[in-house]
C-alpha cells in the first residue's frame, strides 16, 4: 500500500511536468497548419490546461495557463483581459451575493419548497426536467452568471437529498445544466448570444433573419432537447434518482427549525431576485427608459449596487446581512481563475494573428467534396466536436458561410440549418475550455471530478447531436 502511494506521488510530478511543457514549451515547436507562434502558444496552454484539469485540479493548471499566455501577450495585457473582464468581476461579486442566500439558509428554504411542491413531490424525473427547464430559460440572460446561480441551487438540492458525490447523478445534472444554459442562450435572436450570432449573420449576408420564424423553429427544438436529455439520463445512462424519491418535507427544515421562512431569508431572497429582475430588464430593449438605465449600469454595476444596498441591512441578531469580508472567504477561486483563463483564451482564438481560423478552414477543405446533404450533417458534427476545444462564436461564424452555401444547393431554407449550427456550436460539454459555463460546472469539486465529467460528456454528446439533428431537420421540413 505504501509503495502504491509512493508511485502515485511520483506520478503527480509527471503530470505537473506535462502541464509546464505544454504551457511554456509547446510554442517553440514547428507550427502546425496555419498556426502562428501566438496560435501555438494559445493551443499549448489549452492542451496543458485540459491535461491538468483532468489529472491534477482546476486551479493550478489555470494559473499556469494564464502565466504562459502572459509571457506571450505581456503581463499587463493579460491582467486587463483576464481580471478586467466584466464577466470575471461579476462572478467575484455575485459569489458574495449568493453566499448570503447560503449563509442565511434562504436557498435551502427555496429548494425545500421546490422539492416538496405538489407537482414535484415523489416525481424525480419531473423535478429534474424542471431544474433543466429553469436553466434553459435562465440561459437567455447571462449564461455565465446564471451558471453560478444554478450551481448554488443544485448544491442545495444535493445537500438536502443527501446525494453521494462523484456519482452519475451529480455528473449528469451539472452537465445538463451546462447543456440547457448554452442552448437557452441562442434560443431568442434578440437577447445575448443569440443576438450576437444573428447580427453576425446579417452583417455577413446583408440580409436579416426573420425573428418570428427563428423563434418558432428554435424554441420547440430547444425545449424538446431538454426532454431528450432527461430521457438519456433515465434510459441510457440509468441514473439512480432514489434520493429524489426518498425526499420528505422534514428534510427541508431550516432557519427556525419548523420550515418557515425567516426574516433574514426573506431579505436574502429579495435581493437575489431583485438582481435577477434587473439583469432581465437590462436585456429587454422594449422597456425603453427603464432598460436604458439598467443597461447603463451593466452587469457589474447592477451587482455592485445590490451589494452596496445590502450592506445597510441587519440580520435579526443585529449583525450585518452583508458581511463582505466574511462572505468573500467562501468564494471559489477555482471558478474565478478558471473563468479568467477561459475569457482570455476566447478572445485570443478570435484573433487573425493566431491562425486558428485559417487552420480550421484547412481541416474543412476535404469535406467540401461530400454531397450537400452529407456535408451539412458533417459540418454540424464538426461544429459539435470542435466547439469543445474552440470559441463557440468564432467557430459558428467560420462555419456559417459553408452551411448557407450548401443548404442553398439542395433547396433547403437556410434559417433552419443556421439554427441547428447555432445549437451544435453550443454543445461544449467535453472540456472546461469549451465554454465558461462548462468551466463553472467542472469546478464543482465537492460533487464531481473533471475526468468523470469529460468521459460522460463525450459519451452523451453523440446521442444529443443525433437527436438534435433528427428533430431539427424534421421540424425544418415541416415548417419551411
Amino acid at each position: 500500500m505504501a509503495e502504491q502511494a509512493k508511485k502515485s506521488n511520483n506520478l503527480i510530478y509527471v503530470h505537473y511536468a506535462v502541464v509546464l511543457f505544454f504551457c511554456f514549451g509547446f510554442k517553440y515547436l514547428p507550427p502546425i497548419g496555419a498556426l502562428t507562434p501566438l496560435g501555438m502558444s494559445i493551443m499549448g496552454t489549452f492542451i496543458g490546461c485540459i491535461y491538468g484539469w483532468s489529472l491534477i485540479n482546476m486551479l493550478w493548471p489555470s494559473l499556469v495557463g494564464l502565466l504562459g499566455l502572459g509571457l506571450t501577450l505581456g503581463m499587463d495585457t493579460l491582467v486587463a483581459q483576464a481580471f478586467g473582464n466584466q464577466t470575471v468581476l461579476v462572478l467575484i461579486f455575485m459569489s458574495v451575493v449568493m453566499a448570503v442566500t447560503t449563509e442565511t439558509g434562504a436557498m435551502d428554504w427555496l429548494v425545500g419548497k421546490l422539492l416538496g411542491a405538489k407537482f414535484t413531490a415523489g416525481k424525480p424525473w419531473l423535478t429534474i426536467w424542471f431544474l433543466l427547464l429553469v436553466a434553459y430559460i435562465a440561459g437567455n440572460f447571462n449564461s455565465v452568471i446564471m451558471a453560478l446561480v444554478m450551481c448554488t441551487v443544485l448544491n442545495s438540492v444535493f445537500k438536502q437529498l443527501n446525494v453521494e458525490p462523484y456519482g452519475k447523478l451529480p455528473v449528469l445534472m451539472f452537465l445538463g445544466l451546462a447543456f440547457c444554459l448554452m442552448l437557452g442562450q441562442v434560443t431568442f435572436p434578440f437577447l445575448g448570444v443569440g443576438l450576437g450570432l444573428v447580427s453576425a449573420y446579417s452583417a455577413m449576408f446583408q440580409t436579416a433573419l426573420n425573428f418570428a420564424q427563428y423563434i418558432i423553429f428554435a424554441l420547440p427544438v430547444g425545449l424538446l432537447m431538454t426532454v431528450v436529455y432527461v430521457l438519456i439520463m433515465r434510459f441510457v445512462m440509468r441514473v439512480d434518482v432514489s434520493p429524489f424519491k426518498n425526499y420528505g418535507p422534514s428534510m427541508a427544515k431550516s432557519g427556525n427549525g419548523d420550515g418557515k421562512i425567516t426574516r433574514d431569508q426573506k431579505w436574502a431572497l429579495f435581493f437575489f431576485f431583485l438582481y435577477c429582475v434587473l439583469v432581465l430588464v437590462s436585456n429587454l430593449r422594449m422597456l425603453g427608459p427603464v432598460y436604458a438605465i439598467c443597461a447603463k449600469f451593466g452587469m457589474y454595476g447592477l451587482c455592485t449596487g445590490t451589494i452596496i444596498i445590502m450592506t445597510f441591512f441587519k440580520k435579526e441578531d443585529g449583525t450585518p446581512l452583508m458581511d463582505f469580508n466574511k462572505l468573500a472567504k467562501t468564494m471559489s477561486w477555482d471558478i474565478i481563475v478558471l473563468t479568467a483563463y477561459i475569457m482570455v483564451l476566447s478572445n485570443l482564438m478570435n484573433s487573425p494573428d493566431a491562425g486558428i481560423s485559417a487552420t480550421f478552414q484547412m481541416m474543412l477543405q476535404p469535406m467540401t467534396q461530400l454531397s450537400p446533404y452529407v456535408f451539412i450533417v458533417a459540418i454540424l458534427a464538426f461544429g459539435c466536436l470542435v466547439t469543445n476545444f474552440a470559441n463557440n462564436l468564432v467557430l459558428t461564424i467560420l462555419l456559417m458561410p459553408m452551411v448557407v452555401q450548401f443548404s442553398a444547393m439542395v433547396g433547403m431554407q437556410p434559417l433552419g440549418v443556421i439554427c441547428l449550427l447555432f445549437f451544435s456550436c453550443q454543445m461544449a460539454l467535453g472540456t472546461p475550455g469549451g465554454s465558461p459555463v462548462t468551466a463553472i460546472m467542472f469546478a464543482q469539486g465537492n460533487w464531481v471530478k473533471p475526468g468523470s465529467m469529460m468521459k460522460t460528456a463525450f459519451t452523451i454528446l453523440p446521442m444529443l447531436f443525433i437527436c438534435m439533428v433528427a428533430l431539427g431537420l424534421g421540424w425544418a421540413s415541416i415548417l419551411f
Side-chain angles (χ1 to χ4, degrees), residues 59 83 92 328-329 331-338:
L59 180 62
F83 297 100
I92 292 173
K329 295 176 183 177
M331 285 193 298
S332 171
W333 284 101
D334 288 31
I335 292 176
I336 293 166
V337 176
L338 175 59

Side-chain angles (χ1 to χ4, degrees), residues 430-448:
T431 72
S435 164
V437 174
T438 306
I440 290 172
M441 303 302 164
F442 270 69
Q444 304 302 311
N446 291 332
W447 298 104
V448 297

Side-chain angles (χ1 to χ4, degrees), residues 14-171:
V14 174
H15 298 326
Y16 284 130
V18 171
V19 173
L20 291 171
F21 165 74
F22 278 107
C23 289
F24 298 116
F26 188 78
K27 62 183 177 182
Y28 297 109
L29 297 178
I32 300 170
L35 292 179
T36 65
L38 173 61
M40 289 292 287
S41 177
I42 294 167
M43 295 309 297
T45 65
F46 187 43
I47 295 169
C49 282
I50 289 176
Y51 183 90
W53 291 330
S54 304
L55 298 170
I56 303 173
N57 57 38
M58 304 304 288
L59 180 62
W60 190 83
S62 302
L63 288 170
V64 176
L66 283 170
L67 186 60
L69 288 177
L71 292 175
T72 300
L73 299 174
M75 290 300 170
D76 288 345
T77 303
L78 173 80
V79 171
Q81 290 189 16
F83 297 100
N85 183 285
Q86 178 174 237
T87 299
V88 176
L89 287 173
V90 173
L91 268 181
I92 292 173
F93 289 103
M94 190 62 191
S95 296
V96 181
V97 175
M98 295 309 298
V100 175
T101 66
T102 302
E103 185 197 40
T104 59
M107 189 58 68
D108 290 339
W109 178 88
L110 186 64
V111 166
K113 289 299 179 184
L114 166 64
L115 296 175
K118 287 184 179 180
F119 76 97
T120 57
K123 302 169 186 173
W125 293 110
L126 180 61
T127 305
I128 288 170
W129 177 77
F130 180 76
L131 289 169
L132 296 181
L133 178 64
V134 171
Y136 178 73
I137 296 169
N140 287 283
F141 306 110
N142 186 297
S143 58
V144 178
I145 304 306
M146 290 300 116
L148 181 64
V149 172
M150 292 306 300
C151 282
T152 304
V153 172
L154 199 56
N155 271 276
S156 179
V157 169
F158 288 161
K159 282 189 288 184
Q160 292 202 44
L161 298 179
N162 297 317
V163 171
E164 287 290 327
Y166 312 121
K168 284 185 182 180
L169 180 57
V171 167

Side-chain angles (χ1 to χ4, degrees), residues 364-379 406 409-410:
L364 288 168
Q365 190 59 38
M367 295 171 62
T368 58
Q369 306 305 314
L370 300 170
S371 67
Y373 275 114
V374 175
F375 176 80
I376 289 171
V377 175
I379 209 76
F406 276 79
M409 288 173 61
V410 295

Side-chain angles (χ1 to χ4, degrees), residues 201 205 209 214 400 403-404 414-423:
Y201 175 91
F205 299 104
L209 283 174
Y214 181 103
M400 213 183 292
V403 167
V404 172
L415 190 148
V417 184
I418 284 294
C419 287
L420 287 178
L421 176 65
F422 291 176
F423 280 168

